[in-house]
């Protein structure tokens, strides 16, 4: 490809495709330069370094993922219906785009998260779903961490074929969502102490 068409957006889009094809760990400036038929140095006028590229990729993938989740939950009845749609969209993105999904797990500077419309939308959609269960802080944060851990763990195991039992993987997923719904309905509220 000619050098003239390079831009930060094109580089990040190519990095996202490379991540899905070869794995997030194989996203390097050298690999990207080879893809565009240019020298590594040509990329530094568009991204500062590998960390900058991967951060941009994480924000791009996070935006794609929340767009899919938001579309899935729109118009759903609060509660289990929304939880199932949210979880299903999360899982579909993780399995269809493994490299992009891996990028979403990259720790990103909080200032960048605050400035990112996609990351703010992620918080709005996620916390909005959980507020429908009557949760408030600090229970909201605890519930977000539980859901993220459950979804991520399940997708990570499923993507590597680690579920060896003959039980249908989708059936187990559906039961997990049922269990999470019941847990959220009966969330153990943190006891708050008052000082005399």
């Amino acid at each position: 490809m000619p050098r003239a068409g390079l831009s930060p957006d094109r580089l990040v889009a190519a990095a996202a495709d490379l991540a899905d094809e070869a794995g997030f760990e194989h996203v390097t400036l050298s690999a990207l330069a080879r893809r565009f038929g240019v020298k590594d140095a040509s990329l530094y006028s568009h991204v500062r370094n590998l960390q900058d590229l991967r951060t941009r990729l994480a924000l791009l993938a996070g935006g794609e993922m929340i767009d899919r989740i938001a579309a899935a939950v729109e118009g759903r009845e609060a509660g289990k219906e929304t939880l199932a749609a949210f979880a299903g969209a999360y899982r579909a993105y993780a399995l269809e785009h493994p490299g992009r999904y891996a990028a979403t797990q990259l720790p990103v500077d909080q200032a960048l998260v605050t400035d990112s419309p996609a990351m703010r939308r992620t918080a709005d959609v996620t916390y909005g779903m959980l507020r429908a269960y009557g949760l408030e802080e600090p229970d909201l944060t605890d519930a977000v961490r539980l859901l993220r851990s459950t979804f991520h763990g399940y997708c990570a195991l499923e993507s590597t074929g680690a579920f060896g039992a003959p039980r249908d993987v989708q059936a187990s997923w559906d039961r997990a969502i049922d269990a999470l719904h019941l847990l959220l309905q009966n969330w153990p509220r943190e006891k708050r102490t008052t000082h005399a």
Side-chain angles (χ1 to χ4, degrees), residues 60-142:
L60 170 76
E64 290 177 347
M65 190 170 182
I66 194 56
D67 285 348
R68 181 177 290 198
I69 290 170
V73 303
E74 187 175 3
R76 302 274 183 177
E77 185 176 332
K80 184 180 172 186
E81 189 179 336
T82 297
L83 175 63
F86 185 109
Y90 183 109
R91 179 176 171 226
Y93 187 86
L95 297 178
E96 291 167 22
H97 298 288
R100 283 171 159 87
Y101 175 71
T104 68
Q105 305 306 306
L106 186 72
V108 176
D109 184 287
Q110 270 311 118
L112 292 175
V113 171
T114 303
D115 289 342
S116 166
M119 296 302 103
R120 287 196 302 273
R121 189 171 187 211
T122 299
D124 290 344
V125 171
T126 306
Y127 281 77
M129 174 185 68
L130 291 171
R131 283 192 186 96
Y133 284 98
L135 299 183
E136 298 177 0
E137 290 294 6
D139 297 318
L140 275 171
T141 296
D142 294 341

Side-chain angles (χ1 to χ4, degrees), residues 170-191:
Q170 180 64 46
S172 295
W173 174 263
D174 292 340
R175 295 297 285 155
I177 301 308
D178 289 344
L180 287 170
H181 172 63
L182 288 173
L183 188 152
L184 291 169
Q185 284 183 312
N186 299 282
W187 188 266
R189 272 28 178 210
E190 184 176 90
K191 292 179 181 170

Side-chain angles (χ1 to χ4, degrees), residues 1 8-9 13 18 21 32 45 47 57 65 83 101 106 134 137 139 158 163 170 180 188 193 195:
M1 291 187 189
D9 288 346
L18 177 61
E21 294 162 16
L32 211 51
S45 59
V47 292
L57 173 51
M65 190 170 182
L83 175 63
Y101 175 71
L106 186 72
E137 290 294 6
D139 297 318
E158 183 178 6
F163 293 132
Q170 180 64 46
L180 287 170
T193 57
H195 299 284

Side-chain angles (χ1 to χ4, degrees), residues 14-36:
D17 291 341
L18 177 61
D20 282 344
E21 294 162 16
F24 178 66
E25 67 278 9
H26 295 292
V27 174
T28 64
L29 291 172
S30 294
L32 211 51
R34 284 193 299 275
R35 183 164 280 219
F36 282 96

